[in-house]
Amino acid sequence: MGDRVPVITIDGPSGSGKGTVAAEVARRLGWRVLDSGALYRLVAYAARGAGVALDDAEALARIASGLQVEFRNGRVLLNGKDVTRQIRTESAGNDASRAAAIPEVRQALLQWQRSQARPPGLVADGRDMGTVVFPDAPVKIFLDASAQERARRRYNQLKEQGIDVSLRDLVAEIEARDRRDRNRSVAPLKPAPDALVIDSTDLSVEEVVAKVLEQARRAFPQLAQGE
Ligand code: C5P
């Protein structure tokens, strides 16, 4: 696991803002970012394309081990094809959460995720970054927000993209996905014992980013020196 490469983990439920915060923290520090949720979305998307059922553990694990993925300028490429839009839909998120409940799939993605810890540093976002993938990370954040607020953020995002959805449906979908992520037996969504829990319900992105950077400066003195 990339000896001494500094790692910040940001876990939390869907819509808590972890992706946005992780990207901004990584940008400020000049570090790499790992969007682990995209991997589960890609596995489920590839499975659908290949006609594989989302509960076929063996076939899904095979897909996960052979995943040819590239993150480039905010785009996600699967076998060289840009699938960013396709994997960002609500149904792709639900499919991902089903595939993610399968231990063999998680195991197949583990090494690749760890291999992303390369200099100068990594900001990893997901559900089990601090608990399973990078248990030794010196900075662990668990970002939460009320289901209502998370649904509202998602609603605004979709509206901006011209996609019409009902807020009530979104709250129900977000709650259902959270339940599955929190209650699964393997790598359930929960804060690592040493994580700082931040409730972002009433915080701006900038305020959350500032809190994460403050933790980072404390844990990695080399960062503070550079300022
Ligand atoms: O973060 P995102 O919404 O893209 O994740 C999609 C789904 O992938 C989540 O609902 C969760 O089930 C799964 N996931 C996971 N572990 C991660 C990241 C995502 O199980 N580290």
Side-chain angles (χ1 to χ4, degrees), residues 166-184:
S166 113
L167 184 58
R168 185 141 32 118
D169 288 353
L170 268 184
V171 174
E173 274 179 33
I174 277 194
E175 284 177 341
R177 179 134 71 97
D178 284 355
R179 243 189 326 272
R180 185 159 49 219
D181 289 349
R182 288 183 203 271
N183 295 326
R184 68 185 175 211

Side-chain angles (χ1 to χ4, degrees), residues 112-184:
W112 191 87
Q113 294 180 80
R114 289 184 175 157
S115 75
Q116 300 307 296
R118 285 182 234 148
L122 179 73
V123 184
D125 96 69
R127 304 292 185 291
D128 63 340
M129 298 297 99
T131 50
V132 176
V133 181
F134 300 108
D136 300 328
V139 176
K140 296 180 183 176
I141 307 291
F142 190 87
L143 198 54
D144 213 342
S146 70
Q148 193 69 33
E149 172 61 17
R150 291 185 284 122
R152 201 188 57 78
R153 290 176 188 169
R154 185 71 186 137
Y155 177 80
N156 289 339
Q157 251 177 13
L158 291 171
K159 224 167 143 192
E160 267 169 32
Q161 296 165 19
I163 302 169
D164 210 14
V165 283
S166 113
L167 184 58
R168 185 141 32 118
D169 288 353
L170 268 184
V171 174
E173 274 179 33
I174 277 194
E175 284 177 341
R177 179 134 71 97
D178 284 355
R179 243 189 326 272
R180 185 159 49 219
D181 289 349
R182 288 183 203 271
N183 295 326
R184 68 185 175 211

Side-chain angles (χ1 to χ4, degrees), residues 11 14 18 35-38 40-41 88 93 96-98 100-101 106 113 125-129 177 181 184 187:
D11 290 304
S14 45
K18 25 177 218 339
D35 169 7
S36 62
Y40 293 95
R41 288 171 183 266
R88 289 288 156 222
S97 136
R98 287 177 61 193
R106 308 199 70 85
Q113 294 180 80
D125 96 69
R127 304 292 185 291
D128 63 340
M129 298 297 99
R177 179 134 71 97
D181 289 349
R184 68 185 175 211

